């Protein structure tokens, strides 16, 4: 049952996690006072297209998040939550307003890490997180220009593919020995790297920038790159300052339990900013995926409405589009054994990660059929042997 003392509900951040929380609240029958606020002036939008479809078509209507189920919520845009008073249950905003809350939901997401060494580079230097970033990139991505991308993570590589397809030269600088090192098993990293090389990307693995001189990047092997613009894609840090300053337990992310509850009574955290137990690895991590923002946001609202709601334990998954590749991953990208289903060289396959008999993760390329099933199978132990996993025409039959 809803307790009146929890009202009003204030959600800070109207990205996917904040919107998912608020929509699930309304859907679950909450008719009380609900405020959503964001420091972005834009109407709420989805971020995944910013490195893919939006860069190509520039269509902002197609990326809008659906606010229609927020029935009567107060939406404040272009205003920042600056101070959180836990004892008085008040929030001070950048325009001077002080708003009371009974429950506060921190859905403040994350922001890109920046490279100080590029401050005086003399060429346009960007990160990619917001619609404004993507708008600037659309102007910069022109045939014949050279993009230097620092960091070969998932979002950066999507941008590299989009830029390459638009006729840009692309050089990717990555300090690790492989691409997508955090999200992909090595077999997938190698495959994706090969696809970028085939597309003409100049991939410099295991290299870092030593210095930048007059618009040129000098690498640690002495080679020089003179890009027209630079994009830094070296990961994100959480927007947990508001919580940290108020004394809520944080460590680059706000610690939450399986109901989205933080260490402060009445304060929840959802989405990229939340640090939670990973259902497969057991590690306490931030899960920076669309699926987590959507599912964990909605689950926290259901728990808020009904205290009998089970703890959130959905296995996170992601997708990425690069050239003609639809990459999908679920669970964790490392096990003690990998089983390959399909033909890697033919570009349609699944890589299954096992810890003993337990399927701990799977990564698929152009193989939505297997992925749909693997999403449901991950996290459990099975009797089937590796040969059966590799060759069974239908995974349902062996699970
Ligand atoms: C370019 C890009 C491509 C992506 N592609 C994929 C993909 O293909 N697949 C996938 O699974 N995931 C993808 N992701 C990740 C996914 O989009 C994120 O995990 C998800 O958007 C996180 O949602 P969120 O609501 O937690 O945070 P956010 O979307 O970051 O929203 C948080 C909002 O809170 C605002 N805010 C912060 N602090 C304050 C404050 N003090 N006061 C007011 N407002 C504040 C922020 O400005 C922001 O608008 C991508 C992300 C990006 C950036």
């Amino acid at each position: 049952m809803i307790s009146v003392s929890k009202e009003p509900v204030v959600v800070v951040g109207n990205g996917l996690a904040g919107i998912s929380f608020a929509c699930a609240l309304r859907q679950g029958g909450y008719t009380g006072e609900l405020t959503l606020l964001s420091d972005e002036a834009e109407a709420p939008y989805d971020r995944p297209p910013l490195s893919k479809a939006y860069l190509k078509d520039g269509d902002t209507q197609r990326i809008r998040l659906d606010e229609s189920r927020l029935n009567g919520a107060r939406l404040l845009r272009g205003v920042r939550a600056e101070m959180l008073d836990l004892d008085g249950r008040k929030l001070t905003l950048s325009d001077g307003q002080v708003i009371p809350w009974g429950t506060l939901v921190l859905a403040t997401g994350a922001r890109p890490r920046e490279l100080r060494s590029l401050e005086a580079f003399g060429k346009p230097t960007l990160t990619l997180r917001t619609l404004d970033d993507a708008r600037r990139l659309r102007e910069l991505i022109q045939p014949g220009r050279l993009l230097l991308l620092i960091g070969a993570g998932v979002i950066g590589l999507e941008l590299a593919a989009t830029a390459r397809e638009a006729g840009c030269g692309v050089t990717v600088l990555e300090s690790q020995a492989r691409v997508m090192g955090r999200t992909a098993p090595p077999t997938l990293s190698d495959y994706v790297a090969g696809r970028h090389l085939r597309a003409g990307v100049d991939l410099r693995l295991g290299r870092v920038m030593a210095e930048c001189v007059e618009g040129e990047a000098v690498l640690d092997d002495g080679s020089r790159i003179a890009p027209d613009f630079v994009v830094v894609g070296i990961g994100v840090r959480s927007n947990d300052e508001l919580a940290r300053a108020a004394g809520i337990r944080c460590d680059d992310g706000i610690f939450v339990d399986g109901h989205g509850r933080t260490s402060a009574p009445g304060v929840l955290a959802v989405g990229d900013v939340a640090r939670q137990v990973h259902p497969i690895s057991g590690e306490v991590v931030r899960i920076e995926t669309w699926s987590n923002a959507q599912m964990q946001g909605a689950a926290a609202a259901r728990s808020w409405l009904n205290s009998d709601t089970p703890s959130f334990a959905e296995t996170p998954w992601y997708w990425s589009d690069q050239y003609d590749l639809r990459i999908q991953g679920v669970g964790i990208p490392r096990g003690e054994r990998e089983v390959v289903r399909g033909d890697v060289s033919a570009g349609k396959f699944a890589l299954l990660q096992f810890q003993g008999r337990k399927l701990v993760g799977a990564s698929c390329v152009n193989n939505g059929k297997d992925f749909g099933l693997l999403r449901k199978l991950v996290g459990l132990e099975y009797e089937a042997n590796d040969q059966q996993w590799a060759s069974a025409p239908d995974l349902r039959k062996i699970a």
Side-chain angles (χ1 to χ4, degrees):
M1 282 300 293
I2 298 168
S3 139
V4 174
S5 68
K6 291 174 172 177
E7 297 185 45
V9 178
V10 175
V11 181
V12 184
N14 65 7
L16 181 64
I19 294 277
S20 297
F21 180 95
C23 286
L25 213 57
R26 286 293 194 230
Q27 205 168 9
Y30 176 70
T31 52
E33 216 180 296
L34 175 60
T35 301
L36 273 98
L37 64 99
S38 171
D39 56 3
E40 290 192 69
E42 293 286 343
Y45 59 91
D46 217 8
R47 295 190 196 274
L50 300 184
S51 49
K52 321 177 183 60
Y54 176 79
L55 280 185
K56 294 177 191 165
D57 62 26
D59 186 348
T60 39
Q61 289 316 310
R62 281 174 50 182
I63 70 172
R64 294 291 174 210
L65 290 171
D66 181 11
E67 296 172 282
S68 62
R69 288 173 296 143
L70 294 176
N71 316 331
R74 189 163 67 124
L75 303 168
L76 304 177
R77 288 186 199 139
V79 63
R80 188 167 175 75
E82 294 201 318
M83 206 177 69
L84 169 54
D85 171 2
L86 290 178
D87 295 334
R89 297 209 169 194
K90 290 193 175 70
L91 192 63
T92 306
L93 309 187
S94 50
D95 62 1
Q97 281 189 75
V98 178
I99 55 174
W101 51 269
T103 295
L104 182 72
V105 184
L106 297 173
T108 47
R111 63 181 181 281
R113 290 176 189 277
E114 292 180 0
L115 268 188
R116 284 257 164 77
S117 53
L118 287 171
E119 270 166 11
F121 193 44
K123 295 284 171 69
T125 301
L126 292 81
T127 51
L128 176 52
R129 180 80 190 179
T130 66
L131 184 51
D132 270 348
D133 296 333
R135 285 191 179 113
R136 278 189 72 199
L137 273 171
R138 271 179 58 73
E139 286 167 15
L140 288 164
I141 294 174
Q142 301 291 340
R145 288 195 178 156
L146 178 61
L147 159 65
L148 171 61
L149 172 69
I150 300 182
V154 178
I155 295 170
L157 290 180
E158 290 181 337
L159 168 65
T162 307
R164 199 64 206 101
E165 285 173 335
C168 267
V170 178
T171 298
V172 179
L173 195 58
E174 167 59 56
S175 61
Q176 304 295 308
R178 63 186 179 96
V179 304
M180 285 171 61
R182 268 193 328 132
T183 37
T187 311
L188 179 59
S189 294
D190 292 348
Y191 182 77
V192 171
R195 183 66 188 85
H196 281 272
L197 289 172
R198 280 209 309 285
V201 170
D202 178 3
L203 199 54
R204 312 279 183 101
L205 297 178
R207 292 265 79 91
V208 294
M209 196 170 63
E211 57 176 333
C212 37
V213 187
E214 292 165 9
E216 273 195 331
V218 184
L219 306 194
D220 55 349
D221 62 356
S223 59
R224 290 171 171 258
I225 301 161
D228 294 293
F229 62 109
V230 182
V231 176
V232 179
I234 54 170
V236 295
R237 68 173 70 245
S238 77
N239 294 324
D240 68 358
E241 290 81 1
L242 201 57
R244 216 164 354 112
I248 296 174
R249 193 169 161 246
C250 296
D251 180 8
D252 184 20
I254 307 169
F255 288 94
V256 296
D257 66 9
H259 304 281
R261 293 178 299 214
T262 70
S263 63
V267 182
L268 308 177
V270 292
D272 277 13
V273 78
R275 195 170 262 282
Q276 57 190 317
V277 176
H278 190 291
I280 305 287
S281 70
E283 291 166 341
V284 182
V285 289
R286 287 194 301 101
I287 300 174
E288 299 157 13
T289 66
W290 185 95
S291 72
N292 179 69
Q294 202 269 331
M295 296 188 300
Q296 191 246 348
R302 288 193 295 272
S303 287
W304 187 89
L305 289 166
N306 180 353
S307 52
D308 294 335
T309 305
S311 218
F312 176 71
E314 294 277 345
T315 305
W317 56 272
Y318 78 95
W319 81 97
S320 173
D321 295 327
Q322 298 172 36
Y323 310 104
D324 49 357
L325 309 181
R326 163 54 62 109
I327 302 163
Q328 293 164 298
V330 60
I332 55 175
R334 56 193 179 276
E336 60 190 18
R337 245 169 41 250
E338 177 173 270
V339 172
V340 180
R341 274 177 66 77
D343 181 356
V344 175
S345 62
K348 182 177 178 191
F349 57 91
L351 306 169
L352 280 54
Q353 309 299 325
F354 287 93
Q355 206 71 50
R357 309 210 75 82
K358 188 173 178 183
L359 179 65
V360 294
S363 309
C364 294
V365 169
N366 293 341
N367 189 352
K369 183 172 166 231
D370 273 2
F371 188 73
L373 292 167
L374 287 163
R375 259 183 64 188
K376 297 176 193 139
L377 301 179
V378 158
L380 297 175
E381 296 198 1
Y382 298 94
E383 288 304 317
N385 62 34
D386 290 359
Q387 183 54 39
Q388 289 171 303
W389 281 108
S391 56
D394 185 348
L395 283 170
R396 271 173 303 204
K397 301 249 163 67
I398 61 165

